[in-house]
Each structure stands twice: as structure tokens, then as C-alpha cells.
Amino acid sequence: QVQLVESGGGLVQAGGSLRLSCAASGSIFRANTMGWYRQTPGKQRELVAAVTAGGTTNYADSVKGRFTISRDNAKNTVYLQMNSLKPEDTAVYYCNWRLLSGPTLIPTDYWGQGTQVTVSS
């Protein structure tokens, strides 16, 4: 089975930086899209950043210019570099690996266990 293991979360002061990692195991890395989501109590999980197999990236407006997503296919790992962190970035961050299959491109999603990021003011 595919398993995604996250690391890199923690407590940081406003203006600081963190680097999240998500390593995949259980199969050959072949995700159509890798991404990072975040969730706080009482809110739906929201997309933070994503990268396609072709290297195209997309970011939420709230993190543009501060966060950078990247992937290393040789290591089956996706990263999220978070700079200039703000208290409103506080959330549980989840790694996502999406596979598309069949003639209608039905998606299958795999999720990491989540890692807590807390930004103090």
C-alpha cells in the first residue's frame, strides 16, 4: 500500500521559517499531482500548494510569495518551504498524493498523517 509520512512541523515565531517534507513509500512514485493542504478546527481543509508531474505549481493567494512547493522524484518526496510565517498560518498540514486513472480520469487520493504548524505572535 502507498504510505505518506510527513515531518518538519513545529512551533515558530512570526516571521520565521519551516520546511515540511512528505516521503512516499509502498509503490513507485507516480502521482499526477502532489500537494499540501491545511486545516484548523471548524474549517474545511484548504489547498495551500500543488505541483503536477510536469512541474507546474499553484498556490493559494494567502501564501504566494512566502511558500514554495517542490518535488524530488528520485527520493519520492515533496517539500513545502514556508517563509515569513504568520499566526494565521497555524494549522495541521497534510500532504496529498493524487492519482488519475481510467478513461474519465477518476482520482484516488492518498494523505499523510498531518503535522502541526504553530506560529506565535
Side-chain angles (χ1 to χ4, degrees), residues 30-33 37 96-111:
R30 45 186 269 270
N32 296 100
T33 303
Y37 290 71
N96 170 261
W97 181 10
R98 170 164 287 187
L99 304 178
L100 303 176
S101 61
T104 59
L105 301 179
I106 299 174
T108 299
D109 287 309
Y110 299 88
W111 295 93

Side-chain angles (χ1 to χ4, degrees), residues 48 59-68 81-86:
V48 177
Y59 298 92
D61 288 341
S62 60
V63 306
K64 286 182 179 178
R66 300 188 297 120
F67 292 9
T68 303
Q81 178 67 46
M82 304 184 293
N83 298 326
S84 301
L85 283 162
K86 304 175 181 179

Side-chain angles (χ1 to χ4, degrees), residues 36-48 88-94 111 115-117:
W36 290 93
Y37 290 71
R38 65 187 181 188
Q39 188 170 26
T40 57
K43 297 180 63 178
Q44 291 189 334
R45 191 171 298 182
E46 65 175 352
L47 176 67
V48 177
E88 48 263 46
D89 295 318
T90 296
V92 177
Y93 284 71
Y94 296 91
W111 295 93
T115 184
Q116 177 70 46
V117 172

Side-chain angles (χ1 to χ4, degrees), residues 1-5 23-28 30 97 99 109-111:
Q1 292 184 328
V2 174
Q3 184 174 353
L4 306 180
V5 180
S25 64
S27 67
I28 297 174
R30 45 186 269 270
W97 181 10
L99 304 178
D109 287 309
Y110 299 88
W111 295 93

